[in-house]
Amino acid sequence: MAGKPQRAFKRKVNPLHARRVTEVDWKDTALLRTFISDRGKIRARRVTGLTPQQQRQVAVAIRNAREMALLPYPNAGRG
């Protein structure tokens, strides 16, 4: 049974649990920037390691921060 060697799955650390954040605030731009790509897109849950509820909280907070001009909108890629 020669095949690919099994890779050990390492669980991603939840960044909000590590910082002991219970409620995501749209005014905390330093925290929210960790969940945005360099192009301004919200990173996927499988990349960030958040729970589904936390991912929704982060997404809503990022949208609110964008409305208040604290965070950038995604680049349209035109140019």
Side-chain angles (χ1 to χ4, degrees), residues 5-19:
Q6 291 291 324
R7 290 179 53 175
F9 178 72
K10 186 175 179 220
R11 189 136 178 109
K12 200 174 284 281
V13 177
N14 188 320
L16 294 183
H17 284 207
R19 295 179 183 172

Side-chain angles (χ1 to χ4, degrees), residues 1 3 9 19 26 28-29 33 44 57 60 65 68-69 72 74-75:
M1 282 211 236
F9 178 72
R19 295 179 183 172
W26 60 268
D28 190 0
T29 56
R33 281 184 193 277
Q57 278 185 350
V60 169
M68 302 307 251
N75 243 350

